[in-house]
Amino acid sequence: MLGYYVIGLLHNCNFMNKILDGHTLAFLRVYSIIYLVFCVFLVLLLKSHHRLNYSYIKLSQVLTGSNSQKITDDPCMYSINGEPLSFVNNYVKVFIHCKDRTSSNTVALPALYDKTVSGLLIELGRIHGYKVEVNSSTIISLGNLSTTNNFTWYCTSSSSDYKKITDYSREIVPTEIIDCYYQ
Amino acid sequence: MTKLSKYLALLFLALIVFLGLILRLRYFAQVPFPGQNVDEYSNSWVGLSLITLGYPVGNSGLTGYPFTNYHYINVDRIFSQGENAPQSINYPWFDHPPLMGLVIGGFAYTNEARVFEDTTLLIIRKPMVILSIINIFLIYLLGAALVNPYLGLIAAGIYTFSPYAIISSRVATAENGFIPLILLALLFLLKFRKTNRLIFLLLSAIMSGVSVLFKLSGVIGIIAGGLILLSDIRKTIFQKVQNFTVFAYISLSIAALFVVYGLAIDPAIFKIVLLSNANRFYEIGPHAVFDLLTQSKITGTIFVTDGWKLAGFFSLFYLLAKRKKLTNVYQFIALPIIVVILIFIIFGSFHFGWYTYPLIPLLCLAVAIPLYRSIIKNKDFVVSYLLLLLPIGKNLIQIITITDFQKFAGAWRFGLLVLTLFILLPKLSTNEQLSNNVVFAKKTLILIMFLTALLLSAVNYYLITPEAWYSINNR
């Protein structure tokens, strides 16, 4: 509709005839037709490209997929520093204590898809690039540090007076502090 | 200009470009730090998602979106370097037109990036380094076409060695995407003015329209181009209006492709986001122009001050004062600078340094004018002398601390006294030989000062390492 109007304007408008000479007017008419054809092509291209390529699964992969060069074995090497100021009272603090260092993390809860303790640990592993194996009752491994006969992972929570967490499938309490030890 | 002079100019240009490439490749992925401008990643995500999903997905903060998803996308391990809040992911993303995203996201895709975490600065800043080198050429060409190849060399030299220009030009923002297009648009418009061939007008219009597809503030090209066409004193009113109409029609129709794109993907959200964009918090405030003149921001909080930007603004006033004598220079340098300032005031929201990046190449050209008139035309020595004190002094104090400088303070004061009096020296003798010698000495002084300013700029830039970047604002 708009294109038809524009072409009509260029063809019939006396005002246009006064400010543009014949050659220029003819050029703009041709340009307008090519432009409108291009617009139609662009719309069809965008819609078909979206229809052929978009899916929620693909979107999730693009958003949460990890860079292949980011892999690490050490769960205590990296931290999420600072405070997410815009998430007032809607975060959880996680400290991963290894033998010689600690990873300190403040994680905004709206960014967690699985808002359980195990979900939090898995997400932390995804963010930093290490493997996490955890079930509902225990942490099997974080990175290359696995539960063995001599060493084991356990976590405590400020929401239960820093007692050991026994159920990793429980929901996270906002502002709670979770400390995980490898001892 | 003789053939030898032209070849000499090209030789110097090749040297400048070579040195420019070396300077620009130094720490390009580490300074500014990853995460200091999340828009860099967001731009690449928009492009990558458009290519892989047919849907623009990016980081936003606008309230117009019906929902926001938060994700920790730990590209370049930014969460271990200070960035602490998860990204606010919106889709379809309509904060800005998609062309910048397609350029750097497309480049990342060709480098096997398939997920957002793959779009590291090592990849996405590479096209910006290339564009920065292209800018050196375009500044030279514009200066050469406006006046003389030596003007082009002076302007290109400033852009090549200015730390502010080097560091700002590597940041993967939309402004750095459309700067070459603005320069090309001005170049084609100048060619049109000289040859009256319609093809150059069309090319200028296309470049101006396409710059809007990088960011809406790219409308600088359309406004500046329109004003330049209407200011051509050698054309009749009918010709001016005709040229303006053709230019505006083509450039605006190309710019309108952003609307076509938005309506094709999601008309409802596109309209809401467009309106929401217009209601951003106006943090720059009424003191925007003052801050623009006195600050050289790279990001939201980091400054790199080297004196060239302020010298550029003073040169702008010089060009305005000489606009009747230097008509082309006024129209093709001063007018676009004023348009950029206008767009900054109207479109500006938060105090981000990248909103002012389009000024940089134009200010380099502005500074080059009085310097060229001094070094080549033997005029305006006092203006050039005072302008060059800005980058010399500012870069020197970044290199040597004020305490260490004290041992040179006496020599500095005495030297400046002698040089200033010499520059101010009026013609006291009727002896032509003596007068010519004095003029030659003044012009040599300006040339030495200019080369000193470039050298100090390069040394200052070389001191900006990732370790030094932490304390950059305290230098």
Side-chain angles (χ1 to χ4, degrees):
Chain A
M1 280 284 292
L2 179 67
Y4 184 76
Y5 174 76
V6 167
I7 292 171
L9 192 73
L10 286 172
H11 186 70
N12 294 319
C13 182
N14 284 333
F15 175 71
M16 283 296 181
N17 288 331
K18 280 179 187 159
I19 63 169
L20 300 172
D21 62 34
H23 288 302
T24 309
L25 210 51
F27 167 77
L28 288 182
R29 279 184 204 133
V30 171
Y31 170 81
S32 300
I33 293 167
I34 296 170
Y35 177 80
L36 288 167
V37 167
F38 179 78
C39 286
V40 170
F41 167 74
L42 181 64
V43 170
L44 292 173
L45 176 70
L46 287 168
K47 285 191 180 300
S48 67
H49 187 54
H50 175 64
R51 197 181 56 240
L52 291 170
N53 291 284
Y54 179 80
S55 71
Y56 185 74
I57 293 170
K58 262 186 168 179
L59 174 66
S60 297
Q61 283 169 348
V62 161
L63 286 170
T64 59
S66 285
N67 183 295
S68 56
Q69 288 170 11
K70 208 185 75 178
I71 294 170
T72 178
D73 285 334
D74 188 347
C76 293
M77 188 133 189
Y78 300 102
S79 299
I80 299 177
N81 296 322
E83 304 289 326
L85 296 170
S86 48
F87 297 93
V88 179
N89 295 333
N90 205 6
Y91 61 87
V92 56
K93 286 187 185 284
V94 187
F95 298 94
I96 312 288
H97 302 275
C98 299
K99 287 177 213 167
D100 53 353
R101 55 184 156 194
T102 297
S103 163
S104 313
N105 306 277
T106 307
V107 179
L109 288 179
L112 279 182
Y113 178 72
D114 179 359
K115 289 180 175 47
T116 61
V117 178
S118 55
L120 169 66
L121 292 172
I122 290 169
E123 176 67 359
L124 208 55
R126 185 198 69 76
I127 292 168
H128 291 315
Y130 59 83
K131 262 189 174 167
V132 172
E133 281 184 79
V134 57
N135 58 36
S136 57
S137 57
T138 188
I139 297 173
I140 300 165
S141 67
L142 296 180
N144 64 349
L145 299 178
S146 308
T147 294
T148 62
N149 289 334
N150 299 322
F151 289 94
T152 185
W153 281 105
Y154 72 92
C155 299
T156 62
S157 167
S158 62
S159 66
S160 56
D161 269 336
Y162 293 97
K163 288 197 183 116
K164 268 190 191 179
I165 295 174
T166 52
D167 179 13
Y168 287 87
S169 60
R170 71 145 170 91
E171 289 246 337
I172 291 166
V173 176
T175 72
E176 77 171 298
I177 300 170
I178 296 174
D179 289 272
C180 293
Y181 300 90
Y182 187 64
Q183 290 178 351
Chain B
M1 204 178 174
T2 63
K3 252 190 181 173
L4 180 65
S5 297
K6 280 188 183 161
Y7 285 131
L8 207 62
L10 285 173
L11 190 66
F12 278 126
L13 178 66
L15 180 65
I16 286 170
V17 169
F18 174 70
L19 292 171
L21 186 62
I22 292 174
L23 290 171
R24 276 149 177 77
L25 286 174
R26 183 178 157 83
Y27 298 126
F28 76 94
Q30 292 133 288
V31 172
F33 289 150
Q36 282 190 316
N37 180 354
V38 185
D39 279 5
E40 292 186 269
Y41 300 115
S42 183
N43 283 327
S44 63
W45 296 342
V46 170
L48 192 63
S49 55
L50 265 174
I51 293 167
T52 54
L53 303 171
Y55 214 48
V57 179
N59 182 59
S60 180
L62 290 180
T63 50
Y65 291 97
F67 59 85
T68 299
N69 288 336
Y70 297 99
H71 289 274
Y72 280 98
I73 302 171
N74 200 10
V75 57
D76 282 331
R77 294 199 180 278
I78 54 175
F79 295 111
S80 300
Q81 298 181 53
E83 181 66 28
N84 46 59
Q87 284 91 358
S88 315
I89 299 296
N90 294 105
Y91 48 90
W93 188 90
F94 289 129
D95 285 29
H96 300 298
L99 218 50
M100 186 60 189
L102 286 171
V103 167
I104 52 175
F107 183 79
Y109 188 83
T110 61
N111 280 268
E112 294 171 11
R114 293 294 181 269
V115 299
F116 284 178
E117 270 194 13
D118 289 339
T119 59
T120 60
L121 290 186
L122 194 61
I123 295 174
I124 65 176
R125 279 188 183 168
K126 276 184 188 154
M128 312 320 298
V129 172
I130 296 169
L131 286 177
S132 185
I133 296 296
I134 291 172
N135 286 344
I136 296 175
F137 275 115
L138 292 174
I139 290 169
Y140 167 79
L141 288 174
L142 191 52
L146 264 174
V147 178
N148 179 285
Y150 290 127
L151 174 75
L153 276 178
I154 293 169
I158 296 168
Y159 184 78
T160 298
F161 291 99
S162 158
Y164 178 54
I166 297 170
I167 295 174
S168 62
S169 67
R170 66 175 55 144
V171 179
T173 56
E175 284 80 2
N176 282 327
F178 70 64
I179 284 171
L181 296 174
I182 301 285
L183 292 173
L184 269 172
L186 291 172
L187 206 50
F188 286 133
L189 217 48
L190 187 59
K191 274 288 207 185
F192 171 69
R193 180 170 284 196
K194 287 182 179 178
T195 62
N196 215 35
R197 288 178 60 194
L198 189 63
I199 182 70
F200 293 120
L201 181 66
L202 298 178
L203 286 169
S204 180
I206 290 168
M207 294 297 128
S208 301
V210 172
S211 25
V212 179
L213 299 180
F214 278 80
K215 198 169 186 181
L216 292 179
S217 52
V219 75
I220 291 162
I222 299 177
I223 297 174
L227 287 171
I228 289 169
L229 286 167
L230 292 172
S231 309
D232 191 351
I233 53 173
R234 288 173 296 186
K235 299 254 187 325
T236 63
I237 291 179
F238 175 81
Q239 286 170 326
K240 280 195 229 185
V241 171
Q242 177 167 270
N243 293 336
F244 174 82
T245 306
V246 171
F247 179 86
Y249 188 80
I250 292 173
S251 57
L252 289 172
S253 63
I254 292 173
L257 288 174
F258 175 48
V259 178
V260 173
Y261 155 87
L263 295 179
I265 291 178
D266 193 321
I269 295 181
F270 178 71
K271 280 181 225 164
I272 294 169
V273 173
L274 210 59
L275 287 169
S276 179
N277 235 332
N279 292 323
R280 289 194 192 214
F281 185 74
Y282 194 68
E283 194 195 35
I284 57 172
H287 55 298
V289 178
F290 178 85
D291 287 346
L292 193 62
L293 262 71
T294 55
Q295 293 175 2
S296 301
K297 259 188 177 174
I298 294 286
T299 61
T301 53
I302 307 285
F303 304 80
V304 174
T305 312
D306 61 13
W308 288 110
K309 189 182 178 194
L310 189 60
F313 277 114
F314 285 138
S315 303
L316 171 67
F317 302 135
Y318 165 88
L319 291 181
L320 290 172
K322 287 198 178 283
R323 64 185 180 279
K324 288 200 171 114
K325 223 178 183 178
L326 304 170
T327 315
N328 261 4
V329 166
Y330 162 73
Q331 289 180 7
F332 283 86
I333 300 176
L335 255 185
I337 291 175
I338 295 168
V339 171
V340 173
I341 295 171
L342 176 70
I343 294 301
F344 170 72
I345 293 169
I346 293 172
F347 279 59
S349 54
F350 295 99
H351 236 303
F352 295 133
W354 50 89
Y355 292 162
T356 63
Y357 289 176
L359 281 169
I360 298 168
L362 296 169
L363 290 175
C364 291
L365 282 159
V367 180
I369 299 293
L371 297 183
Y372 165 79
R373 283 168 63 81
S374 298
I375 296 169
I376 306 294
K377 297 287 185 189
N378 306 330
K379 291 176 182 175
D380 300 333
F381 293 118
V382 179
V383 173
S384 298
Y385 175 77
L386 290 173
L387 284 176
L388 286 170
L389 284 180
L390 293 167
I392 287 174
K394 191 60 186 171
N395 282 298
L396 193 55
I397 205 57
Q398 310 283 28
I399 295 165
I400 181 172
T401 65
I402 194 69
T403 312
D404 291 336
F405 180 74
Q406 295 311 305
K407 46 183 176 278
F408 305 109
W412 174 262
R413 279 192 272 222
F414 179 73
L416 272 188
L417 174 69
V418 168
L419 292 177
T420 308
L421 290 174
F422 173 66
I423 280 290
L424 290 171
L425 201 67
K427 194 173 171 182
L428 296 171
S429 169
T430 52
N431 185 327
E432 202 178 316
Q433 180 66 35
L434 182 63
S435 297
N436 288 343
N437 287 343
V438 169
V439 165
F440 180 78
K442 285 184 181 180
K443 152 179 155 149
T444 308
L445 171 65
I446 298 299
L447 178 62
I448 291 171
M449 283 179 75
F450 173 61
L451 293 173
T452 304
L454 291 184
L455 179 66
L456 289 173
S457 301
V459 172
N460 180 19
Y461 170 72
Y462 241 79
L463 295 176
I464 299 175
T465 60
E467 296 74 30
W469 190 250
Y470 282 106
S471 57
I472 194 82
N473 285 347
N474 298 325
R475 290 167 72 234

